[in-house]
Amino acid sequence: MHRTLWANARWVELPSGRVQSGCLYVTGVRVAGTGEEADLLRRFGPPETRRDLEGRLLLPGLTDAHCHLVGFGVEATRAADLSGSASLEEL
């Protein structure tokens, strides 16, 4: 599994919403630990990749789940089977 150390990072802790700072050690696709770099290196060993974020915000797991409502509505009506309806009232 690939190991990455994100140094000098900031991130938002969930569910509290508090901004944390320090280092994140990632193994594969999971955050293995957070804290001081020296402590993380002792716990997990040297990573294959080290990235210095210089205080920038890291957003692990951010998923863009937005939809365009007009397009979503058009697609939903195309999939709706209205063949058995004789009037708007029956819908």
Side-chain angles (χ1 to χ4, degrees), residues 9-23:
R10 292 183 309 121
W11 64 92
V12 177
E13 181 181 77
L14 298 177
S16 72
R18 291 189 316 231
V19 176
Q20 302 291 325
S21 61
C23 297

Side-chain angles (χ1 to χ4, degrees), residues 3-8 23 37 41 47-52:
R3 297 174 301 176
T4 304
L5 177 71
W6 298 94
N8 301 311
C23 297
E37 185 170 353
L41 293 175
E48 284 85 10
T49 305
R50 182 188 183 277
R51 298 280 189 245
D52 188 344

Side-chain angles (χ1 to χ4, degrees), residues 9-85:
R10 292 183 309 121
W11 64 92
V12 177
E13 181 181 77
L14 298 177
S16 72
R18 291 189 316 231
V19 176
Q20 302 291 325
S21 61
C23 297
L24 284 94
Y25 196 101
V26 177
T27 302
V29 296
R30 301 214 183 264
V31 176
T34 62
E36 297 295 322
E37 185 170 353
D39 180 51
L40 293 172
L41 293 175
R42 267 193 304 279
R43 288 171 55 199
F44 303 109
E48 284 85 10
T49 305
R50 182 188 183 277
R51 298 280 189 245
D52 188 344
L53 293 183
E54 300 174 343
R56 290 186 293 256
L57 186 65
L58 179 66
L59 298 173
L62 177 65
T63 302
D64 182 3
H66 84 281
C67 69
H68 296 262
L69 293 178
V70 172
F72 181 75
V74 168
E75 288 301 315
T77 58
R78 287 185 185 153
D81 181 8
L82 307 176
S83 61
S85 302

